[in-house]
Amino acid sequence: REKGGMDRAPKFPMPANWLFLSRYYAVTKNKEALRQVQLTLNEMAFGGIYDQVGGGFARYSVDARWFAPHFEKMLYDNGQLISLYAEAFTLTKTPLYEQVVRETIAFAERELMSEEGGFYAALDADSEGEEGKFYVWTHQEFSETLGEASALMQAYFNVTHEGNWEDGRNILFKTSSTAEFARQHQLDATEFAEQVYEAKMKLLAVRSQRIRPGLDDKIIGSWNGIMLRGLVDAYSALGDEKFMELAVRNASFLSERLMTEQHTLPHTYKQGKGQVNGFLEDYAFVIDGFMGLYQVSFDEQWSQKADRLTQTCLQHFYDREEGYFFYTDDESALIARKKEIFDNVMPASNSMMAKNLYFLGMLLDNSDYIEKAQKMVTNIIHLVRREPGYLSNWAALFTNFVKPTAEVILTGPEIKELSRQLSAHYFPNKIMVGTKTESDLPLLQGRTAVNNKTTIYVCYNKTCQLPVHTANEAIQQLQKNQ
């Protein structure tokens, strides 16, 4: 309750835990839950675990204060954290969360994105044989880079003459938001924010001349699915077309380079080739990414591809007796095929497949998918009660069963603009479908634009409320049932 996260060291971000607490707050309005989420997100964003100059998160903090990171940067962490901060922004409208989303995406595009549109796996902690050398600053380096602005920025980023870390070096971290720091130092908040931005750009330019950490240039299917979902969630929260462009580029890469004509996926891709048969996690996260992209773009190729990959999972990974999925496909040479149930630094592949079956079932009006998801959830309820910290993604899915999931249906010429206005509000328990003209999707049958004006239908269990023409009216209908 002092620094957020779990009360221990080393300290991992564990995004699924805080995503669950956000959803728990949405259902219960328990302010303690929301406070803990905000405390954790604030402290992570202030700490050395977050790259204050270039954006993006390190894998974990070696201490309990989020101060000293293990400097390795993993794609799967950053994709999940983009989703988490984006969702938290729709809930709280905290400027810091928007900043973290934008800077982390900028980092991923700049340092992890391949020319083909895939994202590489990770950046090493070391450069020149030393951990963190690329990221830390001596007092002299910092002062020479920033010149006259140096004294103020030293206070802001906690840089000292003797160094706050090893060998006289400084890890940059903050103890307050930009606005709070400006208030404490009697500065104009807008002007100070601009000064911080300029300082970061100078530091980034100097840092980019250093010898870089090693790049793990494998492209991993599951981690790219996570990053795709992060970009989709960022677009939903902030409406920045750049994020949509990056999402479509990444999804197109996954579809064209990784997904085969038989609707299978490899686990890794390198030098133009897929390597190793895909595991359940690869399918689970790519399905989630495609499903998310459909709901912001309304391009039905993505819902269709999500469905085809789901069919592959049911055909080659599903255990009909237990109702869960094996981690490896039925061509695996392993004698014992395991099932991944517990959520960890990444959600478990089975919890993701349960979520996929539920929401894809809603999107496609496929009762078989929904029933399979409900069976998976029902059979694990005893474990979730006992060990929620290790089943937090399952717990997040539970929050969607407390009240009916909203089916938000948009038809007409301005569906993109209206859906963007809707998505800026916090309604995690919903699906969105839309078409400008006509569609074969079951939920869109009989739903037309009234008087040729873009129309929104808010429905529950396929029973719709009165059609409306503005996002505000639809938001009011959603709020009544939240």
Side-chain angles (χ1 to χ4, degrees):
R1 288 170 189 262
E2 285 178 39
K3 288 287 182 182
M6 297 298 176
D7 186 15
R8 64 175 75 122
K11 206 157 184 170
F12 289 79
M14 304 300 285
N17 286 349
W18 318 113
L19 191 71
F20 163 66
L21 275 189
S22 302
R23 304 284 175 87
Y24 176 79
Y25 168 76
V27 172
T28 64
K29 300 297 181 279
N30 181 322
K31 288 185 178 164
E32 277 297 299
L34 179 59
R35 256 197 294 275
Q36 194 65 21
V37 171
Q38 289 178 287
L39 173 65
T40 299
L41 268 58
N42 293 346
E43 292 297 333
M44 282 199 298
F46 290 164
I49 192 173
Y50 182 69
D51 181 351
Q52 300 295 337
V53 169
F57 290 85
R59 193 168 157 222
Y60 62 87
S61 167
V62 298
D63 61 283
R65 298 184 297 126
W66 306 112
F67 162 63
H70 173 60
F71 287 89
E72 192 176 16
K73 283 179 166 179
M74 314 300 291
L75 181 64
Y76 66 79
D77 283 322
N78 284 285
Q80 287 181 88
L81 287 161
I82 290 166
S83 288
L84 177 61
Y85 277 87
E87 182 164 315
F89 179 75
T90 65
L91 175 58
T92 66
K93 299 295 187 249
T94 304
L96 175 67
Y97 302 164
E98 176 179 358
Q99 180 187 336
V100 166
V101 168
R102 290 187 181 281
E103 290 178 350
T104 303
I105 291 173
F107 147 70
E109 183 188 10
R110 183 179 66 241
E111 300 187 41
L112 293 178
M113 197 170 202
S114 75
E115 288 181 9
E116 294 177 289
F119 288 95
Y120 297 125
L123 281 176
D124 292 347
D126 298 4
S127 55
E128 302 180 73
E130 288 182 39
E131 182 174 341
K133 187 170 183 183
F134 183 74
Y135 299 100
V136 297
W137 300 81
T138 64
H139 181 268
Q140 184 177 349
E141 288 168 336
F142 191 88
S143 301
E144 286 174 356
T145 301
L146 295 186
E148 289 178 8
S150 175
L152 188 60
M153 293 305 152
Q154 282 172 40
Y156 181 65
F157 287 117
N158 293 282
V159 171
T160 66
H161 275 275
E162 59 277 9
N164 60 32
W165 195 50
E166 300 166 353
D167 302 323
R169 292 175 176 156
N170 290 277
I171 294 170
L172 307 191
F173 73 99
K174 302 187 297 191
T175 51
S176 61
S177 69
T178 309
E180 178 64 18
F181 184 92
R183 191 185 63 75
Q184 288 168 356
H185 291 77
Q186 298 175 323
L187 302 166
D188 178 272
T190 306
E191 283 179 19
F192 179 62
E194 287 170 10
Q195 288 175 302
V196 170
Y197 176 77
E198 286 168 15
K200 284 182 177 183
M201 291 303 99
K202 285 180 183 173
L203 292 164
L204 190 61
V206 168
R207 195 177 81 176
S208 66
Q209 303 303 310
R210 296 175 178 174
I211 294 171
R212 304 184 59 74
L215 173 70
D216 181 348
D217 63 354
K218 286 192 304 295
I219 291 174
I220 297 175
S222 53
W223 299 8
N224 272 259
I226 289 171
M227 188 65 197
L228 172 57
R229 186 70 201 213
L231 292 167
V232 165
D233 291 341
Y235 174 77
S236 279
L238 303 175
D240 189 326
E241 285 298 329
K242 173 76 184 288
F243 303 155
M244 174 71 94
E245 288 164 18
L246 286 171
V248 170
R249 189 177 166 207
N250 181 242
S252 300
F253 164 80
L254 291 170
S255 168
E256 291 161 18
R257 300 300 174 99
L258 268 72
M259 194 170 165
T260 67
E261 289 180 8
Q262 293 75 39
H263 311 129
T264 62
L265 292 169
H267 178 55
T268 59
Y269 172 95
K270 195 168 178 178
Q271 295 173 338
K273 287 187 203 145
Q275 299 163 341
V276 187
N277 282 0
F279 302 119
L280 182 64
E281 69 173 57
D282 298 300
Y283 290 86
F285 288 108
V286 171
I287 290 165
D288 181 49
F290 283 171
M291 199 165 44
L293 184 54
Y294 164 73
Q295 291 181 81
V296 293
S297 68
F298 302 123
D299 181 344
E300 289 181 23
Q301 68 164 309
W302 304 120
S303 56
Q304 290 162 4
K305 285 178 164 67
D307 190 31
R308 286 176 193 136
L309 291 172
T310 301
Q311 292 289 340
T312 300
C313 289
L314 289 168
Q315 193 175 340
H316 296 290
F317 292 83
Y318 191 57
D319 180 351
R320 280 169 176 72
E321 286 181 28
E322 280 195 1
Y324 291 94
F325 293 83
F326 291 107
Y327 187 68
T328 53
D329 65 24
D330 50 13
E331 293 177 10
S332 167
L334 295 173
I335 296 167
R337 292 170 70 203
K338 294 181 179 175
K339 297 186 178 92
E340 186 184 55
I341 300 295
F342 290 96
D343 301 315
N344 204 301
V345 292
M346 283 166 54
S349 45
N350 264 288
S351 68
M352 286 303 299
M353 282 309 299
K355 177 187 166 191
N356 290 341
L357 286 167
Y358 178 67
F359 285 105
L360 196 57
M362 296 284 294
L363 272 177
L364 304 177
D365 192 22
N366 185 324
S367 58
D368 178 53
Y369 285 3
I370 294 170
E371 284 163 19
K372 281 182 166 64
Q374 288 171 333
K375 183 182 176 187
M376 292 173 80
V377 163
T378 303
N379 289 344
I380 206 164
I381 193 166
H382 64 290
L383 271 178
V384 178
R385 284 189 178 128
R386 221 165 54 215
E387 293 284 356
Y390 295 98
L391 294 116
S392 51
N393 199 50
W394 290 102
L397 180 55
F398 266 102
T399 64
N400 299 113
F401 296 123
V402 176
K403 293 182 179 178
T405 299
E407 302 141 9
V408 182
I409 299 159
L410 301 100
T411 58
E414 294 173 0
I415 56 172
K416 199 106 176 281
E417 182 54 43
L418 288 181
S419 74
R420 192 185 297 166
Q421 292 171 28
L422 279 166
S423 296
H425 291 261
Y426 189 63
F427 298 111
N429 193 14
K430 72 176 186 306
I431 55 155
M432 296 179 76
V433 297
T435 183
K436 289 185 176 180
T437 50
E438 54 190 38
S439 165
D440 292 331
L441 283 173
L443 287 176
L444 287 160
Q445 301 312 299
R447 314 269 189 255
T448 55
V450 178
N451 300 328
N452 294 321
K453 284 175 70 181
T454 303
T455 304
I456 308 171
Y457 299 83
V458 174
C459 315
Y460 295 90
N461 298 321
K462 297 178 211 162
T463 302
C464 296
Q465 300 181 36
L466 288 173
V468 295
H469 298 293
T470 68
N472 280 341
E473 290 170 299
I475 287 161
Q476 285 170 9
Q477 291 181 344
L478 286 161
Q479 282 172 335
K480 278 181 198 165
N481 290 278
Q482 198 175 29

